[in-house]
Amino acid sequence: MELLSQMWSLLGLLTVLQNVLPSQLLSLLHSLWQSLQDSLTPYSYFDVPEFLGSSAVEPNDLYRQVHLYLHHSLLHSPAPSSAPLPRLTLSLPRFASGDPAAANPVLSLSPNHSLEDSFAGHRLLWTHHSDTLQDSLEERRSFSLRLPKRAPASGLLRPYLTHLSAAADALERSSRPRRLHTNSPRGGPPSWSSVPFRHPATFATLALDPALKSRLLADLSAFAAGRDFYRRTGRPWKRGYLLHGPPGSGKSSLIAAMANHLRYDVYDLELTRVSHNSDLRSLLIQTTNRSLIVIEDIDCSLDLTGDRRRSTKSTTATSDARNRNKRQRIRCYEDSDSINDGGADDSDGRVTLSGLLNFTDGLWSCCGEERIIVFTTNYADGVDPALLRAGRMDVHVRLGACGAHAVRELVERYVGVAEHELLGVAESCIRAGAEMTPAEVGEVLLRNRDEPEKAMRELVAELQARVRHGGGGGGNGGGEEEEGWEEREEGSPAESWEGSPEKVGKKGRAGWERRVRFLGRLKSLTKSDSGRRGV
């Protein structure tokens, strides 16, 4: 009782001194007391405030990483049963109802409680502080890290923070909500509007050849994990993909699967809504890191080859001159970096080829990190070769008609049939030259999803009809697609991937037939054009 009485007396004395002594003297005494504690304690302390400076304007990125790291530790590294469980705060983000990845509550360390961690054989302690400012409802939050003094701070702190940042980055990548952005119409300031991105397509649901799917997944994963490589080599941390193939071949679904795999935001750039090259640069600056920038139907969005045609001396307006200009563009596309930005940049109030090249591969394209630029087109030979070289579009993926594996996968997914005698008939039709895109196969199966037998009969009947009509029945132009691809491969150093190995396997057997058909069509077009000119 006597000891308790003395403690109460000491507390009363401290209260009186706090009310009597000036605040400056109290602050000095507090600092002296902290210094005495620091000299006697076997630990070193490091503070991580939520904001940098006293204005609470610039967030401290390390505070966010610590918060994510401790959340990850609470989920995957539970404390031993002998250790007391710290007080935790549960929260559910607003977007959790629409994002299955965020359906679980978020765990965080409650204010003024601590959590132990271990690294390299040392025990570390994180404490979450939250103080209410005097005469204000504003809170000032921070984390403090306690390290043992016997471990050199410089030798332990740096690798531990690197480990912490990597873990926080992985957690943020797997749980961040994603948005689908589109650019504003002409007339106003260039800006983006967005909605939550909730496309269901994943690589597990895509009817792609397994080899192509594995190659895409490996390439995307290597890109996302390539921070050190890109910094070491001095390359901008970006990558370009060209997806080309007939309508319905799955280009948009593949883009959605890429975004879901990487958990990137998607920026759907509509070039017809952009007035000037300067607006294009402004839109690029507004995009975030970890994003897919998509320009669909690049060959139809704008006349991006007009500048090149004007810069070439043309003697006539005949079809022969247009073909000669096309060959000249293919020969000179490797020197396209020297295109003059000032020639037709903004004078005619439109986006030019030069502006788009700077957007994809110029200095302005390096204003962010971890970005993927995707072009889509139905006809790769309709795109200016300057846009297709390596460094702009690094990987070219041709998506075509369904192969045997894709048809089996779609049948199993849509109607739940893994084995059926008509599947063999469908594969025979595909080997005989029948071509149906994934969208066409899916539509046949969708309207008969409750009747598997009827679905298989209709699918086989459609494939057989396309065999009788020469394979492409739907007017997809499969032969022309392959010819255009071969021409682009000769001039482009970019890596090219084929999406239908079954079709490619027939290339050596039917290549001459396609060339003969193509030359026959070209000859007939030339004759008709000569007839119109009166030759």
Side-chain angles (χ1 to χ4, degrees):
M1 291 296 294
E2 183 177 355
L3 178 61
L4 184 60
S5 177
Q6 291 178 354
M7 291 180 58
W8 279 111
S9 300
L10 180 60
L11 290 175
L13 178 61
L14 291 176
T15 303
V16 172
L17 291 176
Q18 186 175 3
N19 293 329
V20 173
L21 295 177
S23 59
Q24 295 85 350
L25 181 59
L26 288 174
S27 178
L28 177 61
L29 292 175
H30 180 72
S31 299
L32 293 174
W33 174 248
Q34 290 291 339
S35 300
L36 179 62
Q37 282 186 318
D38 292 342
S39 62
L40 297 178
T41 183
Y43 300 105
S44 298
Y45 293 88
F46 300 88
D47 293 326
V48 183
E50 183 179 10
F51 295 97
L52 301 176
S54 57
S55 59
V57 173
E58 185 178 357
N60 185 0
D61 193 55
L62 183 57
Y63 178 91
R64 178 186 57 82
Q65 292 181 348
V66 172
H67 180 81
L68 290 170
Y69 175 76
L70 295 181
H71 167 73
H72 181 268
S73 299
L74 290 168
L75 287 177
H76 300 93
S77 303
S81 57
S82 58
L85 188 67
R87 182 180 291 273
L88 305 177
T89 300
L90 294 175
S91 59
L92 189 67
R94 288 184 300 173
F95 55 80
S97 59
D99 190 349
N104 296 323
V106 176
L107 293 175
S108 58
L109 192 62
S110 296
N112 303 317
H113 285 77
S114 302
L115 178 68
E116 283 191 357
D117 191 19
S118 59
F119 180 77
H122 297 282
R123 297 178 62 184
L124 302 87
L125 186 72
W126 283 104
T127 303
H128 187 199
H129 301 283
S130 179
D131 302 319
T132 303
L133 299 180
Q134 189 175 7
D135 300 329
S136 174
L137 297 177
E138 182 182 356
E139 285 187 335
R140 180 167 295 175
R141 292 181 291 268
S142 65
F143 286 103
S144 66
L145 172 62
R146 191 187 73 182
L147 292 177
K149 281 185 177 179
R150 63 178 181 271
S154 60
L156 180 64
L157 182 62
R158 185 178 295 275
Y160 177 67
L161 291 180
T162 301
H163 160 74
L164 183 148
S165 297
D169 184 74
L171 179 64
E172 183 179 31
R173 187 187 302 275
S174 64
S175 61
R176 67 192 295 259
R178 284 155 298 125
R179 311 282 298 179
L180 173 62
H181 303 258
T182 185
N183 52 309
S184 58
R186 288 171 176 257
S191 61
W192 298 96
S193 58
S194 67
V195 295
F197 181 75
R198 297 168 184 167
H199 199 289
T202 64
F203 277 96
T205 64
L206 288 181
L208 285 179
D209 177 76
L212 176 62
K213 186 182 297 186
S214 299
R215 198 169 183 182
L216 276 169
L217 284 170
D219 190 74
L220 292 170
S221 299
F223 171 77
R227 180 193 301 271
D228 294 336
F229 168 79
Y230 283 93
R231 288 183 177 178
R232 184 175 68 253
T233 57
R235 291 173 60 95
W237 194 4
K238 64 182 183 63
R239 195 153 176 81
Y241 287 82
L242 173 72
L243 309 182
H244 68 104
S249 56
K251 298 183 290 293
S252 297
S253 296
L254 178 55
I255 292 172
M258 293 166 65
N260 284 328
H261 175 71
L262 297 172
R263 301 198 67 84
Y264 283 4
D265 289 337
V266 178
Y267 288 85
D268 185 14
L269 178 60
E270 179 57 58
L271 286 180
T272 58
R273 292 184 172 186
V274 184
S275 301
H276 307 281
N277 290 338
S278 57
D279 292 342
L280 190 63
R281 290 192 292 267
S282 178
L283 289 170
L284 176 63
I285 293 174
Q286 296 175 42
T287 60
T288 61
N289 295 337
R290 295 177 182 169
S291 59
L292 266 79
I293 303 173
V294 180
I295 304 178
E296 295 196 269
D297 296 322
I298 183 64
D299 55 324
C300 303
S301 297
L302 293 171
D303 182 16
L304 296 173
T305 60
D307 301 328
R308 303 287 286 279
R309 292 193 183 102
R310 284 194 296 269
S311 64
T312 303
K313 292 184 179 180
S314 174
T315 57
T316 66
T318 63
S319 59
D320 293 337
R322 287 196 299 269
N323 291 334
R324 186 164 60 252
N325 289 343
K326 181 178 180 181
R327 289 194 298 271
Q328 183 176 356
R329 290 200 309 272
I330 293 174
R331 287 196 302 270
C332 73
Y333 80 95
E334 291 181 339
D335 299 326
S336 60
D337 292 328
S338 62
I339 294 176
N340 182 14
D341 277 339
D345 189 22
D346 290 331
S347 59
D348 55 357
R350 65 184 181 88
V351 175
T352 63
L353 175 63
S354 174
L356 192 59
L357 293 179
N358 283 328
F359 179 87
T360 56
D361 194 32
L363 293 176
W364 286 99
S365 68
C366 308
C367 61
E369 289 189 331
E370 202 170 351
R371 288 192 175 108
I372 290 178
I373 301 176
V374 182
F375 288 170
T376 72
T377 178
N378 295 334
Y379 306 100
D381 57 349
V383 183
D384 194 293
L387 287 169
L388 303 183
R389 72 161 177 80
R392 289 171 183 151
M393 294 295 106
D394 305 288
V395 177
H396 298 188
V397 180
R398 187 185 71 82
L399 301 174
C402 285
H405 179 275
V407 169
R408 281 187 172 272
E409 191 172 347
L410 288 171
V411 168
E412 183 175 3
R413 187 173 301 132
Y414 276 77
V415 299
V417 174
E419 293 295 337
H420 196 281
E421 60 272 12
L422 291 180
L423 279 174
V425 180
E427 293 177 359
S428 299
C429 293
I430 292 173
R431 287 192 291 270
E435 294 184 356
M436 290 183 69
T437 64
E440 293 170 329
V441 174
E443 178 56 32
V444 172
L445 299 174
L446 178 63
R447 62 174 176 256
N448 300 293
R449 61 184 179 275
D450 297 327
E451 301 178 78
E453 289 293 331
K454 184 179 178 181
M456 290 304 305
R457 289 196 302 270
E458 286 197 15
L459 178 60
V460 169
E462 181 65 27
L463 288 170
Q464 290 174 340
R466 299 202 176 196
V467 171
R468 291 193 295 270
H469 288 85
N476 297 327
E480 294 181 12
E481 175 74 18
E482 291 184 354
E483 292 291 340
W485 178 262
E486 289 178 1
E487 181 182 356
R488 186 200 51 74
E489 277 187 333
E490 293 174 2
S492 173
E495 188 173 2
S496 54
W497 300 351
E498 296 289 344
S500 300
E502 291 86 354
K503 301 295 179 187
V504 178
K506 300 189 298 178
K507 198 169 185 178
R509 185 172 64 251
W512 283 108
E513 296 179 1
R514 284 197 303 271
R515 288 181 174 86
V516 170
R517 290 197 301 269
F518 176 73
L519 291 174
R521 288 195 298 270
L522 182 60
K523 185 176 181 181
S524 64
L525 289 174
T526 304
K527 287 182 177 180
S528 63
D529 187 54
S530 300
R532 285 194 299 269
R533 288 183 287 133
V535 178

